[in-house]
Each structure stands twice: as structure tokens, then as C-alpha cells.
Amino acid sequence: MSMKINKTYSARDVEQEAQSYWSSAKIFLADEHNSGEKFYSLCMFPYPSGNIHMGHVRNYSIGDAIIRYQKMCGKNVFQPMGWDAFGLPAENAAIKNNTHPASWTYKNINNMRIQLKQMGYGYDWSREIATCSPDYYRWEQWLFLRLYERGLAYKKKSVVNWDPVDETVLANEQVINGRGWRSDALVEKREISQWFLKITDYAEELLDGLNHLEEWSVQVKTMQKNWIGKSTGVQVSFKIKGTGNTVEVFTSRPDTIFGCSFIALAPDHSFARELSEREPDIKLFTDKCMQMSTAESDLATLTKKGIQTDYIAINLLNGEEVPIWIANYILSSYGTGAIMGVPAHDERDHEFAGLYDLPVKHVIKPVDKESANIEGLFTGKGILINSGEFNGLVSDDAIEGVTQKLREIKAGTFETKYRLRDWGVSRQRYWGAPIPIIYCDDCGTVPENDLPVVLPEEFEFTDKSNVLKNIPEFYNVKCPSCGKNAVRETDTFDTFVESSWYSARFTCADQPNMMLDERADYWAPVDLYIGGIEHAILHLLYARFIHKVMRDEGLLTSDEPFVRLFTQGMVLKDGSKMSKSKGNVVNPQDYIDNYGADTLRLFMMFSAPPEQQLEWSDSGVDGAHIAKSY
Ligand SMILES: [Zn+2]
């Protein structure tokens, strides 16, 4: 780092004087009674990892420049700051440094607050939030119970990554090449009972709402649209020969049904499970599949594998018999967990059929092709051939015709499916907000209405998967309903739950009696939300969902949490993202100490357009500093 500093300009003196004036004059305190048009600007709040990094500096410098401009234009500005304080890194750091996640987190918050103040950002610190505070998460617990009453929170069994050596559930990012990150043991899939929020009930509204978000980038909206993944099609029943049963498949291309040459089931489809209990070969295959990642990104590149069952399915439209397979590329969570394999007109089916020598029957020809003798894969729409009474129809007409026919013979219904799954919010971790539920042998699942359920912080933190399971004072309780001995839920919430409603709570962070008061409706929605593109799907989708839930609870009236979304570019050093492992991290504190915050902010704002990547440059900082000194 260059240290050629102009002695005539003392950044420290100038900045401290300005900052103490802003503070004493209450320049940045929010005021609902100001007559100007309201402008609520929010930068995604940080995880308190220890120190602010250059990504924070860029994000927050952009936000701060904008609120100062809006303020000078006469708007009534609100810009709060807080801490996304729960999560796994605190537990890992606590184990590594032999401390407690709570004390580690609070220490980091105090340090980072000092740094943000040194940066001179115009925050209303009177409305600061730390999500690990019971004052905050008690309202999350309260909202969860409202959701539970409305049937939007429910418990079901679902598959988790299980480390058999550490005897703990692992997050996906803790599984490295199929092994536990700490134990190096082969990770198993286990089914355990977990809490889910029914985001799928809002799928259509979340999709439709994207059309009204005019100040969001097309890129982010497209990512959300694909994640919700709406498709319309037909659920078709195939008869299982020799049994009274049927297998249901979902297809968005019923016009290709005459080209079906096999049925494929997901390894954990109910019929596949039934077979695996009787047949060792099938069990061996499905067990192996269950160990594989089911992330869709992995499925796309997966080597396709299958096993043929002894069963035959009958296509009720033409009486044709096709074999039933179990295949590793079918997802039980999408559609019905079973597909009709049409190798001539579907890429994945084509690949699978090639591996196992299954028939490829062409039933669609391109509109512009005269000959009916086509070969290879054709996934487009066209004109039907080899399809009985539907020959000669164009695909769109055939989709309608085939669907109609299937309905007549009671072998199909029109369906809308979404790729979006319900949101699993249970985490088998200590450092999170407790889920306010009690289990009683007599009464079953009982909501805990005595809120907050406080996460205990006064005990020695140990290297255990979920230490709450080892604190009887926490989980041994009396049933609120019958008074008998009962136990508390020891799972905590996914930290995405806390960040899904913090923008609303900022507006009334000091309100002790309710989740949101009338100030929420004054400030919400956020006029400008700034953060990284990596949050395009999960955080932003969950926040939109919870905002709509809060609206339906009568807590506020707007439909969406964020009017305008801005995603800033990354800060790079030597062409790549700053990271400890690459050793290319530049620490903001060094520059605050040696150049002052204004130099750093000036460099951040003028080195690259805000939406593009910014390459770190020490000489650029020098340049900004010289400019600042005049
Ligand atoms: Zn009871």
C-alpha cells in the first residue's frame, strides 16, 4: 500500500467533525411527520463476521450517495442498518476459537458498528436491529404461529444430509464431494420430520407479481420466474398391467404421447419403494440413487442410470404396452415423480433410451419438412405423425385434442405444476431462533403462545450438532394445554426467515407490543433495495412471500417489499473475487486509517459503473485521495 499522504488534509479531523455534527443535529433520524415525499432506502444488512469487507464498502457507499442526493432533493429519507446475526458461521467460529456463538457475534457487531460509523454512512442508528435479539425474533415466532393457525406452516418428513460419524445433519454446503466437511465420513440421506412454510400457496401471486416490478432487472425476474417454474400440462394415468393400479405421469407435451416407449419412476417414487422392499436388485439401485445429490444443477450433468422392473404400463390412448423403469434422473419432487419416456422428442429421455437400447418412435415432424422419415432428436413443436386419429394436426391443436380425449376416457386431467417447493425452515442447529412449538403425548403439537421462546445463551458451548437437545432446562416444559410433562421443539429457524421481514421491522424496531405498527405502512415498501445478485432467488423470493403473508395478516397494505432493486457489481483484486484462500483480500480498515473514509468512498463511486465489477487499484485510491485533498 502506498503511504504518500498529503499532510495538509487530515481526514480524521474533518470526518470526525462532520460525523459528530450529523449525530448531534439528528440529520439521519427518520421522522414520519416530515412533509417531504418518503424515501426508504435499504442496503442488504451484513452478517456480523468480524470486520466489514470491500463488498460492504461498495454496497453501502452507493446507498449512502443516493440517500444524500434524495435528501437534498427534499425527500423524507430513511436509511437503517442492522445485523443478520444468526447462522452457522458463528457456531464454527465458536468451536474454532473456543468461545460462545453469542459472545462471538455480539463482539463482531460492536466492531462492525464502529467501522460503519467511521465510514460516515447516514444511518438511523436508533432503529438498529440484531436478528439474534429476542425483541426481534419473538415477532418471527408470533408470525409463525399465525401461519400455523392458517395451515401455512406444517410438519412433514423430508430428506437431509446425515453425517454418521458426527451424528449431525449437514447443510448442503457442508457436504464436500459426498463427504462430511469435518468428519470426512460418507454422507447418508436420512428422513427426518421438519417444519415447512407453504410458499407454494403463493406461487401464482409471486409469479404474477413479477410483471408489476418494473424497476427490477429482467435478469433477476427471469431467475425468479424459472425458480417458480410454472408449467401447464396433463396428468396422464397409465394402467399397470396385471394389477388394479395406475401410475400417474405429468407431461407438458401430451402431443407426443404416441411416442412413449417407457415409463420412468423416481427412485423414491412410492411404487419404486414398494418394489425395493421386495426385490434386492431394485433396493441396491434405489439406495445408491438416494446417496446422490438431488440438486437440479447436478441432475443436468448426471450420468443417467436406470433399472427395469418386471412391470408393464398400458397407454390407455392406444393400448400400447411399455416397460416401467426406475431412473436416477427423475425427481420425485417435481410433477408426479414419474414421466412418460419419449426418446424422439425429449433430450434426457433420448440419452436414457440410447444407453438402454429403448425404442425411439418419431411422432412429430417439423412443419417445414416434407418427408415423414425423420431421425434423431426433435424437441420442437410440429405436425403429428404415427399418432392415429391425431395425424396431421399441429402440436398446439393436438395438445388440446389429446387432452380432451384423455379426459373423455378418464385417463387424464389438465394440471398446472410449479417447480417451486415449500420452504423447509427447520435447522438442527443451536444458533438460530427457536421454533415455538411443544409436543405433548396427549395433546400432540401445541403452539407455544408464551413468547418469546428465548434461546438460552448461559451455558458452555460444545461441539455438538444441536446443543439444545442437551439442555433439559430448555426442552422440558409443561404442556400449555393439559399441564402434563411435554417437550419443546429443539430445531431452530433457517436464518432466511429472519431476513425475510427485517425491512418492515426496521420501521418500528422499538415497538414492544406488536410486530408492526402504523409506521410500517408509512415507510413500506422499500423504495430502493441494494445488494448482491447472489440473493436474486432465495432471499428475495422469501421476502416477497413473507411480505404478502404479513399483508394478509393485516400488518401492512402493500403487495411487494421492494419497489426498486439494484444489484451492485463485485469488488475484484487481480481479476478475481477477494477471498482469504486466494490471499487477495484488501482490508477497508487500513484505508480508513491511512486515507480516511471519504477517499475510500470516492474511489468506490468513481472507479466503475455501480452495476459492474470494480477492479481494486491502490493507485486509484491515491488518485481519489489527491482529488480529495484539494
Ligand atoms: Zn397436553
Side-chain angles (χ1 to χ4, degrees):
M1 187 196 311
S2 164
M3 294 293 176
K4 284 176 283 177
I5 292 168
N6 187 332
K7 297 292 180 199
T8 61
Y9 166 64
S10 167
R12 178 177 299 238
D13 294 344
V14 173
E15 288 171 7
Q16 276 184 357
E17 194 188 329
Q19 287 165 16
S20 66
Y21 168 70
W22 296 332
S23 171
S24 63
K26 300 183 172 26
I27 301 280
F28 297 107
L29 289 196
D31 175 11
E32 288 78 16
H33 305 292
N34 182 307
S35 60
E37 184 190 344
K38 71 100 181 171
F39 186 80
Y40 180 2
S41 178
L42 183 63
C43 295
M44 290 181 186
F45 66 166
Y47 178 78
S49 55
N51 294 289
I52 61 169
H53 55 64
M54 285 299 180
H56 294 133
V57 172
R58 188 174 195 202
N59 184 340
Y60 303 158
S61 295
I62 294 168
D64 202 55
I66 292 170
I67 64 119
R68 284 164 189 270
Y69 170 75
Q70 294 289 355
K71 201 171 178 65
M72 286 187 273
C73 291
K75 289 207 181 151
N76 186 22
V77 164
F78 176 38
Q79 182 180 231
M81 182 41 73
W83 315 98
D84 192 9
F86 275 137
L88 196 52
E91 292 190 40
N92 297 337
I95 292 163
K96 198 173 150 200
N97 304 321
N98 199 21
T99 168
H100 192 287
S103 50
W104 184 82
T105 302
Y106 296 132
K107 193 180 117 222
N108 291 344
I109 287 176
N110 287 333
N111 183 49
M112 289 169 75
R113 189 190 300 108
I114 290 169
Q115 291 188 300
L116 291 180
K117 286 187 172 176
Q118 286 179 333
M119 284 303 298
Y121 297 132
Y123 297 134
D124 179 352
W125 285 105
S126 74
R127 304 196 191 195
E128 181 182 352
I129 281 170
T131 59
C132 60
S133 157
D135 294 341
Y136 182 80
Y137 64 68
R138 71 171 295 175
W139 298 111
E140 181 167 308
Q141 294 171 336
W142 177 84
L143 186 68
F144 175 80
L145 294 181
R146 300 283 84 71
L147 285 162
Y148 179 69
E149 274 169 24
R150 282 171 56 194
L152 290 171
Y154 66 96
K155 216 172 180 192
K156 74 165 181 191
K157 285 202 161 179
S158 80
V159 177
V160 294
N161 304 307
W162 179 257
D163 184 323
V165 171
D166 278 355
E167 300 200 321
T168 179
V169 174
L170 300 178
N172 283 334
E173 58 270 26
Q174 296 172 316
V175 181
I176 296 155
N177 298 326
R179 291 175 180 275
W181 66 315
R182 276 216 305 261
S183 70
D184 208 33
L186 267 182
V187 170
E188 298 167 4
K189 296 279 177 195
R190 269 212 188 169
E191 265 205 325
I192 61 171
S193 198
Q194 310 210 70
W195 285 96
F196 284 82
L197 298 185
K198 221 169 176 184
I199 189 173
T200 52
D201 267 21
Y202 285 78
E204 192 59 43
E205 201 197 332
L206 287 166
L207 185 64
D208 182 58
L210 294 171
N211 297 323
H212 309 293
L213 293 173
E214 283 158 16
E215 296 181 75
W216 283 40
S217 72
V218 171
Q219 185 193 8
V220 171
K221 288 195 280 190
T222 304
M223 286 164 84
Q224 291 217 351
K225 187 175 168 221
N226 292 340
W227 188 261
I228 295 167
K230 180 180 181 174
S231 57
T232 51
V234 186
Q235 188 162 315
V236 189
S237 301
F238 282 72
K239 215 171 164 173
I240 304 175
K241 194 179 177 182
T243 73
N245 299 327
T246 59
V247 55
E248 308 288 323
V249 307
F250 176 74
T251 176
S252 58
R253 291 292 303 275
D255 55 320
T256 65
I257 192 167
F258 283 77
C260 169
S261 62
F262 65 96
I263 296 290
L265 311 175
D268 52 344
H269 185 279
S270 58
F271 188 52
R273 284 176 178 229
E274 195 185 313
L275 294 177
S276 74
E277 278 167 27
R278 297 201 299 262
E279 296 174 37
D281 283 359
I282 289 182
K283 183 167 169 40
L284 200 68
F285 177 77
T286 55
D287 280 355
K288 214 167 204 170
C289 292
M290 294 289 281
Q291 283 170 8
M292 303 296 290
S293 162
T294 50
E296 289 212 17
S297 51
D298 298 332
L299 280 183
T301 55
L302 182 84
T303 309
K304 294 184 177 47
K305 286 207 168 73
I307 185 167
Q308 187 172 358
T309 72
D310 294 334
Y311 288 84
I312 297 289
I314 302 171
N315 182 344
L316 293 169
L317 208 57
N318 57 6
E320 240 177 60
E321 299 189 351
V322 295
I324 299 178
W325 285 67
I326 298 167
N328 66 347
Y329 71 100
I330 312 300
L331 266 184
S332 66
S333 57
Y334 184 71
T336 59
I339 57 115
M340 60 176 205
V342 184
H345 304 292
D346 180 277
E347 203 176 327
R348 299 193 302 175
D349 298 346
H350 189 80
E351 194 188 328
F352 187 74
L355 291 170
Y356 293 101
D357 213 15
L358 294 161
V360 180
K361 293 161 61 185
H362 289 90
V363 293
I364 309 279
K365 72 177 180 90
V367 176
D368 54 5
K369 219 168 185 179
E370 283 306 312
S371 162
N373 296 323
I374 53 164
E375 280 177 19
L377 176 68
F378 174 61
T379 58
K381 287 182 176 175
I383 295 172
L384 271 73
I385 53 172
N386 304 323
S387 297
E389 63 188 277
F390 302 100
N391 281 340
L393 290 180
V394 295
S395 285
D396 285 338
D397 291 343
I399 286 172
E400 222 167 272
V402 168
T403 306
Q404 182 62 29
K405 184 74 189 280
L406 286 166
R407 284 167 72 164
E408 277 167 28
I409 62 171
K410 299 208 170 2
T413 51
F414 187 78
E415 298 271 337
T416 300
K417 301 271 184 200
Y418 298 91
R419 193 178 154 275
L420 182 68
R421 302 289 99 205
D422 279 339
W423 176 12
V425 294
S426 287
R427 293 293 178 273
Q428 294 71 37
R429 310 299 325 182
Y430 160 71
W431 190 235
I435 297 175
I437 290 289
I438 289 167
Y439 303 104
C440 168
D441 283 344
D442 291 348
C443 312
T445 303
V446 185
E448 168 66 279
N449 289 306
D450 185 15
L451 300 178
V453 177
V454 176
L455 184 72
E457 293 182 10
E458 301 299 316
F459 66 92
E460 199 166 332
F461 185 73
T462 52
D463 184 0
K464 291 268 166 54
S465 60
N466 183 352
V467 291
L468 290 180
K469 279 201 184 312
N470 301 306
I471 306 178
E473 302 88 318
F474 175 75
Y475 64 74
N476 279 335
V477 288
K478 298 286 179 203
C479 170
S481 177
C482 72
K484 286 188 188 152
N485 288 339
V487 290
R488 250 188 223 299
E489 173 66 76
T490 52
D491 284 356
T492 54
F493 284 121
D494 175 11
T495 57
F496 275 116
V497 181
E498 283 92 61
S499 55
S500 67
W501 64 284
Y502 79 113
S503 71
R505 180 66 185 177
F506 266 136
T507 65
C508 52
D510 57 355
Q511 172 57 261
N513 300 317
M514 55 182 103
M515 184 177 190
L516 300 179
D517 62 26
E518 69 284 353
R519 289 175 288 178
D521 239 359
Y522 174 81
W523 292 111
V526 171
D527 296 281
L528 174 61
Y529 194 37
I530 309 176
I533 187 82
E534 68 274 18
H535 295 294
I537 299 172
L538 297 181
H539 162 58
L540 288 168
L541 195 64
Y542 294 149
R544 294 181 60 221
F545 162 55
I546 292 295
H547 192 89
K548 291 169 194 299
V549 166
M550 293 192 294
R551 175 202 62 197
D552 292 347
E553 283 294 324
L555 297 167
L556 35 68
T557 55
S558 44
D559 291 324
E560 293 281 344
F562 313 117
V563 176
R564 181 174 179 204
L565 174 72
F566 183 82
T567 52
Q568 87 278 357
M570 261 196 295
V571 182
L572 307 181
K573 173 90 193 304
D574 308 323
S576 55
K577 191 180 171 182
M578 290 185 188
S579 75
K580 271 187 196 158
S581 58
K582 289 202 194 90
N584 64 345
V585 175
V586 183
N587 181 4
Q589 193 64 51
D590 295 339
Y591 290 82
I592 296 171
D593 293 343
N594 291 306
Y595 290 83
D598 266 0
T599 294
L600 192 50
R601 291 166 57 133
L602 196 66
F603 169 73
M604 281 294 183
M605 294 306 292
F606 287 91
S607 299
E611 72 280 6
Q612 289 177 20
Q613 295 180 336
L614 182 156
E615 174 66 36
W616 182 262
S617 151
D618 273 336
S619 65
V621 176
D622 276 336
H625 193 68
I626 289 163
K628 187 71 213 165
S629 307
Y630 280 99

